[in-house]
Short mmCIF file of all heavy atoms in Angstrom, two decimals:
data_model
loop_
_atom_site.label_atom_id
_atom_site.label_comp_id
_atom_site.label_asym_id
_atom_site.label_seq_id
_atom_site.Cartn_x
_atom_site.Cartn_y
_atom_site.Cartn_z
N ILE A 13 8.72 6.51 -11.71
CA ILE A 13 10.16 6.28 -11.51
C ILE A 13 10.66 5.21 -12.48
O ILE A 13 11.72 5.36 -13.10
CB ILE A 13 10.45 5.87 -10.04
CG1 ILE A 13 10.18 7.06 -9.12
CG2 ILE A 13 11.87 5.37 -9.90
CD1 ILE A 13 10.22 6.70 -7.64
N LEU A 14 9.90 4.13 -12.65
CA LEU A 14 10.28 3.07 -13.58
C LEU A 14 10.33 3.58 -15.02
O LEU A 14 11.26 3.26 -15.77
CB LEU A 14 9.31 1.90 -13.46
CG LEU A 14 9.58 0.70 -14.35
CD1 LEU A 14 10.95 0.11 -14.04
CD2 LEU A 14 8.49 -0.34 -14.21
N ALA A 15 9.37 4.41 -15.40
CA ALA A 15 9.37 4.97 -16.75
C ALA A 15 10.59 5.87 -16.98
O ALA A 15 11.20 5.86 -18.05
CB ALA A 15 8.08 5.75 -16.99
N GLU A 16 10.96 6.63 -15.96
CA GLU A 16 12.14 7.50 -16.07
C GLU A 16 13.42 6.66 -16.20
O GLU A 16 14.29 6.98 -17.01
CB GLU A 16 12.22 8.41 -14.85
CG GLU A 16 13.38 9.38 -14.90
CD GLU A 16 13.43 10.27 -13.67
OE1 GLU A 16 12.44 10.35 -12.94
OE2 GLU A 16 14.48 10.88 -13.46
N ILE A 17 13.52 5.60 -15.43
CA ILE A 17 14.69 4.72 -15.52
C ILE A 17 14.77 4.09 -16.89
O ILE A 17 15.84 4.04 -17.52
CB ILE A 17 14.64 3.64 -14.40
CG1 ILE A 17 14.85 4.28 -13.04
CG2 ILE A 17 15.69 2.56 -14.66
CD1 ILE A 17 14.60 3.34 -11.88
N GLU A 18 13.64 3.59 -17.41
CA GLU A 18 13.63 2.98 -18.74
C GLU A 18 14.02 3.99 -19.81
O GLU A 18 14.75 3.67 -20.75
CB GLU A 18 12.26 2.39 -19.03
CG GLU A 18 11.95 1.15 -18.23
CD GLU A 18 10.54 0.65 -18.45
OE1 GLU A 18 9.72 1.38 -19.05
OE2 GLU A 18 10.26 -0.49 -18.03
N ARG A 19 13.54 5.22 -19.69
CA ARG A 19 13.87 6.26 -20.67
C ARG A 19 15.37 6.56 -20.64
O ARG A 19 16.01 6.68 -21.69
CB ARG A 19 13.06 7.53 -20.38
CG ARG A 19 13.22 8.59 -21.47
CD ARG A 19 12.41 9.84 -21.19
NE ARG A 19 12.90 10.52 -19.99
CZ ARG A 19 12.20 10.68 -18.87
NH1 ARG A 19 10.96 10.24 -18.80
NH2 ARG A 19 12.72 11.29 -17.83
N ASP A 20 15.95 6.63 -19.44
CA ASP A 20 17.38 6.88 -19.32
C ASP A 20 18.19 5.73 -19.92
O ASP A 20 19.21 5.95 -20.57
CB ASP A 20 17.78 7.09 -17.86
CG ASP A 20 17.28 8.41 -17.30
OD1 ASP A 20 16.92 9.29 -18.12
OD2 ASP A 20 17.24 8.54 -16.06
N LEU A 21 17.74 4.51 -19.70
CA LEU A 21 18.46 3.35 -20.24
C LEU A 21 18.37 3.30 -21.76
O LEU A 21 19.30 2.87 -22.43
CB LEU A 21 17.93 2.06 -19.63
CG LEU A 21 18.28 1.83 -18.16
CD1 LEU A 21 17.60 0.58 -17.65
CD2 LEU A 21 19.78 1.74 -17.98
N ARG A 22 17.25 3.72 -22.33
CA ARG A 22 17.11 3.71 -23.79
C ARG A 22 18.03 4.72 -24.46
O ARG A 22 18.40 4.55 -25.61
CB ARG A 22 15.67 4.00 -24.18
CG ARG A 22 14.80 2.78 -24.11
CD ARG A 22 13.45 3.04 -24.78
NE ARG A 22 12.45 2.23 -24.13
CZ ARG A 22 11.55 2.67 -23.26
NH1 ARG A 22 11.49 3.94 -22.97
NH2 ARG A 22 10.69 1.85 -22.70
N THR A 23 18.41 5.77 -23.77
CA THR A 23 19.29 6.78 -24.38
C THR A 23 20.75 6.34 -24.39
O THR A 23 21.54 6.91 -25.12
CB THR A 23 19.19 8.13 -23.63
OG1 THR A 23 19.56 7.93 -22.27
CG2 THR A 23 17.78 8.69 -23.71
N ASP A 24 21.10 5.32 -23.62
CA ASP A 24 22.46 4.82 -23.59
C ASP A 24 22.67 3.89 -24.79
O ASP A 24 22.27 2.74 -24.79
CB ASP A 24 22.72 4.07 -22.28
CG ASP A 24 24.18 3.68 -22.11
OD1 ASP A 24 24.98 3.97 -23.02
OD2 ASP A 24 24.51 3.11 -21.06
N GLU A 25 23.31 4.43 -25.85
CA GLU A 25 23.48 3.67 -27.08
C GLU A 25 24.38 2.46 -26.88
O GLU A 25 24.15 1.39 -27.46
CB GLU A 25 24.07 4.56 -28.18
CG GLU A 25 23.13 5.66 -28.60
CD GLU A 25 23.78 6.60 -29.59
OE1 GLU A 25 24.83 6.25 -30.14
OE2 GLU A 25 23.22 7.69 -29.81
N PHE A 26 25.42 2.59 -26.06
CA PHE A 26 26.34 1.48 -25.83
C PHE A 26 25.61 0.32 -25.15
O PHE A 26 25.73 -0.83 -25.57
CB PHE A 26 27.52 1.95 -24.97
CG PHE A 26 28.49 0.86 -24.65
CD1 PHE A 26 29.31 0.33 -25.63
CD2 PHE A 26 28.59 0.37 -23.36
CE1 PHE A 26 30.20 -0.67 -25.34
CE2 PHE A 26 29.48 -0.63 -23.05
CZ PHE A 26 30.29 -1.15 -24.05
N LEU A 27 24.82 0.62 -24.14
CA LEU A 27 24.05 -0.42 -23.45
C LEU A 27 23.02 -1.03 -24.39
O LEU A 27 22.85 -2.26 -24.41
CB LEU A 27 23.37 0.16 -22.21
CG LEU A 27 22.45 -0.81 -21.46
CD1 LEU A 27 23.27 -1.95 -20.87
CD2 LEU A 27 21.68 -0.07 -20.38
N ASP A 28 22.37 -0.21 -25.19
CA ASP A 28 21.37 -0.70 -26.13
C ASP A 28 22.00 -1.67 -27.12
O ASP A 28 21.46 -2.74 -27.39
CB ASP A 28 20.72 0.47 -26.86
CG ASP A 28 19.60 0.02 -27.75
OD1 ASP A 28 18.78 -0.81 -27.31
OD2 ASP A 28 19.54 0.50 -28.90
N ARG A 29 23.17 -1.32 -27.66
CA ARG A 29 23.86 -2.20 -28.61
C ARG A 29 24.28 -3.50 -27.93
O ARG A 29 24.14 -4.58 -28.49
CB ARG A 29 25.07 -1.49 -29.20
CG ARG A 29 25.79 -2.33 -30.24
CD ARG A 29 26.85 -1.55 -30.99
NE ARG A 29 27.43 -0.44 -30.29
CZ ARG A 29 28.59 -0.49 -29.64
NH1 ARG A 29 29.28 -1.60 -29.59
NH2 ARG A 29 29.06 0.58 -29.03
N ARG A 30 24.79 -3.40 -26.71
CA ARG A 30 25.22 -4.61 -25.99
C ARG A 30 24.03 -5.54 -25.72
O ARG A 30 24.15 -6.75 -25.86
CB ARG A 30 25.86 -4.25 -24.64
CG ARG A 30 27.17 -3.58 -24.73
CD ARG A 30 28.38 -4.41 -24.54
NE ARG A 30 28.27 -5.61 -23.75
CZ ARG A 30 28.96 -5.87 -22.66
NH1 ARG A 30 29.77 -4.97 -22.18
NH2 ARG A 30 28.85 -7.01 -22.05
N LEU A 31 22.89 -4.96 -25.35
CA LEU A 31 21.72 -5.79 -25.09
C LEU A 31 21.16 -6.41 -26.37
O LEU A 31 20.69 -7.55 -26.36
CB LEU A 31 20.64 -4.98 -24.38
CG LEU A 31 20.95 -4.57 -22.95
CD1 LEU A 31 19.87 -3.64 -22.41
CD2 LEU A 31 21.10 -5.78 -22.06
N ARG A 32 21.21 -5.67 -27.48
CA ARG A 32 20.72 -6.22 -28.75
C ARG A 32 21.61 -7.33 -29.26
O ARG A 32 21.14 -8.28 -29.89
CB ARG A 32 20.62 -5.12 -29.81
CG ARG A 32 19.34 -4.31 -29.69
CD ARG A 32 19.19 -3.36 -30.85
NE ARG A 32 20.06 -2.20 -30.68
CZ ARG A 32 21.05 -1.86 -31.50
NH1 ARG A 32 21.28 -2.54 -32.56
NH2 ARG A 32 21.79 -0.80 -31.25
N THR A 33 22.93 -7.23 -29.04
CA THR A 33 23.85 -8.24 -29.57
C THR A 33 24.22 -9.30 -28.54
O THR A 33 25.09 -10.10 -28.79
CB THR A 33 25.14 -7.56 -30.07
OG1 THR A 33 25.75 -6.87 -28.99
CG2 THR A 33 24.85 -6.60 -31.20
N MET A 34 23.53 -9.30 -27.42
CA MET A 34 23.85 -10.25 -26.36
C MET A 34 23.58 -11.69 -26.80
O MET A 34 24.35 -12.58 -26.52
CB MET A 34 23.03 -9.92 -25.12
CG MET A 34 23.58 -10.40 -23.85
SD MET A 34 22.54 -9.72 -22.56
CE MET A 34 23.69 -9.67 -21.25
N SER A 35 22.49 -11.91 -27.48
CA SER A 35 22.15 -13.25 -27.95
C SER A 35 22.91 -13.53 -29.24
O SER A 35 22.75 -12.81 -30.22
CB SER A 35 20.65 -13.34 -28.19
OG SER A 35 20.35 -14.58 -28.78
N PRO A 36 23.73 -14.57 -29.26
CA PRO A 36 24.53 -14.81 -30.45
C PRO A 36 23.72 -15.32 -31.62
O PRO A 36 24.16 -15.25 -32.76
CB PRO A 36 25.54 -15.87 -29.99
CG PRO A 36 24.90 -16.54 -28.84
CD PRO A 36 24.00 -15.52 -28.20
N GLY A 37 22.53 -15.82 -31.41
CA GLY A 37 21.71 -16.31 -32.50
C GLY A 37 22.11 -17.72 -32.91
O GLY A 37 22.89 -18.39 -32.25
N PRO A 38 21.57 -18.17 -34.05
CA PRO A 38 21.89 -19.51 -34.53
C PRO A 38 23.36 -19.64 -34.89
O PRO A 38 24.04 -18.64 -35.15
CB PRO A 38 21.02 -19.66 -35.78
CG PRO A 38 20.06 -18.53 -35.77
CD PRO A 38 20.59 -17.49 -34.86
N PRO A 39 23.90 -20.86 -34.92
CA PRO A 39 25.32 -21.06 -35.22
C PRO A 39 25.75 -20.46 -36.55
O PRO A 39 26.84 -19.92 -36.66
CB PRO A 39 25.47 -22.58 -35.22
CG PRO A 39 24.34 -23.09 -34.42
CD PRO A 39 23.23 -22.11 -34.59
N LEU A 40 24.90 -20.54 -37.58
CA LEU A 40 25.26 -20.00 -38.89
C LEU A 40 25.47 -18.50 -38.82
O LEU A 40 26.39 -17.95 -39.43
CB LEU A 40 24.20 -20.35 -39.93
CG LEU A 40 24.48 -19.89 -41.35
CD1 LEU A 40 25.78 -20.54 -41.85
CD2 LEU A 40 23.34 -20.24 -42.26
N VAL A 41 24.65 -17.82 -38.04
CA VAL A 41 24.79 -16.36 -37.89
C VAL A 41 26.11 -16.03 -37.20
O VAL A 41 26.81 -15.10 -37.58
CB VAL A 41 23.59 -15.79 -37.10
CG1 VAL A 41 23.81 -14.33 -36.77
CG2 VAL A 41 22.31 -15.97 -37.88
N ARG A 42 26.47 -16.82 -36.19
CA ARG A 42 27.74 -16.57 -35.49
C ARG A 42 28.92 -16.75 -36.42
O ARG A 42 29.86 -15.96 -36.42
CB ARG A 42 27.88 -17.50 -34.29
CG ARG A 42 27.01 -17.12 -33.14
CD ARG A 42 27.30 -18.00 -31.97
NE ARG A 42 26.96 -19.38 -32.32
CZ ARG A 42 26.41 -20.24 -31.50
NH1 ARG A 42 26.15 -19.89 -30.27
NH2 ARG A 42 26.12 -21.45 -31.88
N VAL A 43 28.89 -17.80 -37.25
CA VAL A 43 30.00 -18.06 -38.17
C VAL A 43 30.12 -16.97 -39.21
O VAL A 43 31.21 -16.47 -39.48
CB VAL A 43 29.83 -19.45 -38.83
CG1 VAL A 43 30.82 -19.64 -39.96
CG2 VAL A 43 29.98 -20.54 -37.80
N THR A 44 28.99 -16.55 -39.80
CA THR A 44 29.05 -15.51 -40.83
C THR A 44 29.47 -14.18 -40.23
O THR A 44 30.18 -13.41 -40.87
CB THR A 44 27.71 -15.37 -41.56
OG1 THR A 44 26.68 -15.10 -40.61
CG2 THR A 44 27.38 -16.62 -42.35
N HIS A 45 29.03 -13.88 -39.00
CA HIS A 45 29.45 -12.63 -38.36
C HIS A 45 30.95 -12.63 -38.11
O HIS A 45 31.63 -11.65 -38.36
CB HIS A 45 28.70 -12.41 -37.05
CG HIS A 45 29.18 -11.22 -36.28
ND1 HIS A 45 28.96 -9.94 -36.72
CD2 HIS A 45 29.90 -11.12 -35.14
CE1 HIS A 45 29.52 -9.10 -35.88
NE2 HIS A 45 30.09 -9.79 -34.91
N ARG A 46 31.48 -13.77 -37.63
CA ARG A 46 32.91 -13.86 -37.38
C ARG A 46 33.68 -13.72 -38.69
O ARG A 46 34.71 -13.06 -38.76
CB ARG A 46 33.23 -15.19 -36.70
CG ARG A 46 34.68 -15.31 -36.31
CD ARG A 46 34.91 -16.54 -35.47
NE ARG A 46 34.23 -16.38 -34.20
CZ ARG A 46 33.78 -17.37 -33.46
NH1 ARG A 46 33.92 -18.61 -33.86
NH2 ARG A 46 33.18 -17.15 -32.32
N PHE A 47 33.17 -14.34 -39.75
CA PHE A 47 33.83 -14.25 -41.06
C PHE A 47 33.82 -12.82 -41.57
O PHE A 47 34.83 -12.30 -42.02
CB PHE A 47 33.13 -15.18 -42.06
CG PHE A 47 33.64 -15.05 -43.46
CD1 PHE A 47 34.88 -15.56 -43.80
CD2 PHE A 47 32.90 -14.41 -44.43
CE1 PHE A 47 35.37 -15.44 -45.09
CE2 PHE A 47 33.37 -14.28 -45.71
CZ PHE A 47 34.61 -14.80 -46.05
N ARG A 48 32.66 -12.14 -41.46
CA ARG A 48 32.58 -10.76 -41.95
C ARG A 48 33.44 -9.81 -41.13
O ARG A 48 33.99 -8.86 -41.66
CB ARG A 48 31.13 -10.28 -41.92
CG ARG A 48 30.30 -10.85 -43.05
CD ARG A 48 28.92 -10.26 -43.07
NE ARG A 48 28.24 -10.62 -41.83
CZ ARG A 48 27.34 -9.86 -41.23
NH1 ARG A 48 27.03 -8.71 -41.71
NH2 ARG A 48 26.77 -10.25 -40.11
N SER A 49 33.58 -10.07 -39.84
CA SER A 49 34.37 -9.17 -39.01
C SER A 49 35.86 -9.28 -39.34
O SER A 49 36.60 -8.32 -39.15
CB SER A 49 34.12 -9.43 -37.53
OG SER A 49 34.61 -10.70 -37.18
N HIS A 50 36.31 -10.42 -39.83
CA HIS A 50 37.72 -10.61 -40.18
C HIS A 50 38.00 -10.39 -41.66
O HIS A 50 39.16 -10.43 -42.07
CB HIS A 50 38.19 -12.00 -39.76
CG HIS A 50 38.17 -12.22 -38.28
ND1 HIS A 50 38.97 -11.51 -37.42
CD2 HIS A 50 37.43 -13.03 -37.50
CE1 HIS A 50 38.74 -11.89 -36.18
NE2 HIS A 50 37.79 -12.81 -36.20
N LEU A 51 36.96 -10.18 -42.44
CA LEU A 51 37.13 -10.03 -43.88
C LEU A 51 37.98 -8.82 -44.23
O LEU A 51 38.85 -8.89 -45.11
CB LEU A 51 35.76 -9.94 -44.56
CG LEU A 51 35.74 -10.00 -46.07
CD1 LEU A 51 36.31 -11.33 -46.54
CD2 LEU A 51 34.33 -9.83 -46.58
N LEU A 52 37.79 -7.70 -43.55
CA LEU A 52 38.58 -6.50 -43.83
C LEU A 52 40.05 -6.72 -43.51
O LEU A 52 40.93 -6.32 -44.28
CB LEU A 52 38.03 -5.31 -43.05
CG LEU A 52 38.75 -3.98 -43.23
CD1 LEU A 52 38.70 -3.54 -44.69
CD2 LEU A 52 38.15 -2.93 -42.34
N ALA A 53 40.33 -7.37 -42.40
CA ALA A 53 41.73 -7.62 -42.04
C ALA A 53 42.41 -8.53 -43.05
O ALA A 53 43.56 -8.28 -43.45
CB ALA A 53 41.80 -8.25 -40.65
N VAL A 54 41.72 -9.55 -43.50
CA VAL A 54 42.29 -10.44 -44.52
C VAL A 54 42.50 -9.68 -45.82
O VAL A 54 43.54 -9.82 -46.48
CB VAL A 54 41.38 -11.67 -44.73
CG1 VAL A 54 41.81 -12.48 -45.93
CG2 VAL A 54 41.36 -12.53 -43.49
N GLY A 55 41.54 -8.86 -46.18
CA GLY A 55 41.67 -8.05 -47.40
C GLY A 55 42.85 -7.10 -47.35
O GLY A 55 43.58 -6.94 -48.34
N VAL A 56 43.08 -6.48 -46.21
CA VAL A 56 44.22 -5.57 -46.06
C VAL A 56 45.53 -6.34 -46.16
O VAL A 56 46.49 -5.87 -46.79
CB VAL A 56 44.11 -4.78 -44.73
CG1 VAL A 56 45.41 -4.06 -44.42
CG2 VAL A 56 42.97 -3.79 -44.81
N CYS A 57 45.57 -7.53 -45.58
CA CYS A 57 46.80 -8.34 -45.67
C CYS A 57 47.09 -8.74 -47.12
O CYS A 57 48.24 -8.67 -47.57
CB CYS A 57 46.68 -9.59 -44.80
SG CYS A 57 46.74 -9.24 -43.05
N VAL A 58 46.07 -9.13 -47.84
CA VAL A 58 46.26 -9.50 -49.25
C VAL A 58 46.69 -8.29 -50.06
O VAL A 58 47.61 -8.37 -50.90
CB VAL A 58 44.96 -10.12 -49.81
CG1 VAL A 58 45.02 -10.25 -51.32
CG2 VAL A 58 44.69 -11.46 -49.16
N LEU A 59 46.06 -7.15 -49.83
CA LEU A 59 46.45 -5.93 -50.54
C LEU A 59 47.88 -5.52 -50.19
O LEU A 59 48.62 -5.05 -51.06
CB LEU A 59 45.50 -4.78 -50.21
CG LEU A 59 44.19 -4.76 -50.99
CD1 LEU A 59 43.27 -3.68 -50.43
CD2 LEU A 59 44.44 -4.53 -52.46
N ALA A 60 48.29 -5.69 -48.96
CA ALA A 60 49.66 -5.33 -48.57
C ALA A 60 50.67 -6.22 -49.29
O ALA A 60 51.70 -5.73 -49.78
CB ALA A 60 49.82 -5.44 -47.06
N ALA A 61 50.37 -7.52 -49.38
CA ALA A 61 51.28 -8.42 -50.10
C ALA A 61 51.33 -8.07 -51.58
O ALA A 61 52.41 -8.02 -52.19
CB ALA A 61 50.82 -9.87 -49.91
N LEU A 62 50.18 -7.79 -52.16
CA LEU A 62 50.12 -7.40 -53.58
C LEU A 62 50.87 -6.09 -53.81
O LEU A 62 51.55 -5.92 -54.82
CB LEU A 62 48.67 -7.29 -54.03
CG LEU A 62 48.42 -6.95 -55.49
CD1 LEU A 62 48.99 -8.04 -56.40
CD2 LEU A 62 46.94 -6.77 -55.73
N THR A 63 50.76 -5.16 -52.87
CA THR A 63 51.46 -3.89 -52.99
C THR A 63 52.97 -4.10 -53.00
O THR A 63 53.68 -3.48 -53.79
CB THR A 63 51.05 -2.95 -51.82
OG1 THR A 63 49.65 -2.74 -51.89
CG2 THR A 63 51.76 -1.63 -51.90
N CYS A 64 53.45 -4.97 -52.14
CA CYS A 64 54.90 -5.25 -52.10
C CYS A 64 55.37 -5.87 -53.42
O CYS A 64 56.42 -5.48 -53.96
CB CYS A 64 55.23 -6.18 -50.93
SG CYS A 64 55.03 -5.40 -49.33
N VAL A 65 54.60 -6.81 -53.94
CA VAL A 65 54.97 -7.45 -55.21
C VAL A 65 54.98 -6.41 -56.33
O VAL A 65 55.91 -6.36 -57.15
CB VAL A 65 54.02 -8.61 -55.52
CG1 VAL A 65 54.20 -9.11 -56.95
CG2 VAL A 65 54.22 -9.75 -54.53
N LEU A 66 53.95 -5.59 -56.38
CA LEU A 66 53.88 -4.57 -57.43
C LEU A 66 54.98 -3.53 -57.29
O LEU A 66 55.48 -3.01 -58.29
CB LEU A 66 52.50 -3.89 -57.43
CG LEU A 66 51.36 -4.73 -58.00
CD1 LEU A 66 50.04 -4.03 -57.76
CD2 LEU A 66 51.57 -4.99 -59.47
N LEU A 67 55.37 -3.20 -56.07
CA LEU A 67 56.46 -2.26 -55.85
C LEU A 67 57.76 -2.79 -56.45
O LEU A 67 58.48 -2.08 -57.16
CB LEU A 67 56.65 -1.98 -54.36
CG LEU A 67 57.85 -1.11 -53.98
CD1 LEU A 67 57.69 0.29 -54.55
CD2 LEU A 67 58.01 -1.06 -52.48
#
Side-chain angles (χ1 to χ4, degrees):
I13 292 171
L14 181 61
E16 182 180 344
I17 291 171
E18 289 175 348
R19 188 180 65 244
D20 289 343
L21 289 175
R22 278 192 210 104
T23 60
D24 188 359
E25 294 175 14
F26 178 70
L27 176 65
D28 185 45
R29 182 170 27 97
R30 291 261 334 239
L31 290 174
R32 278 187 283 118
T33 59
M34 203 173 207
S35 174
L40 182 60
V41 172
R42 286 185 296 218
V43 170
T44 57
H45 174 70
R46 185 172 293 153
F47 174 73
R48 284 185 297 147
S49 66
H50 295 295
L51 189 61
L52 180 60
V54 170
V56 168
C57 289
V58 169
L59 279 172
L62 182 62
T63 300
C64 291
V65 169
L66 285 172
L67 174 65

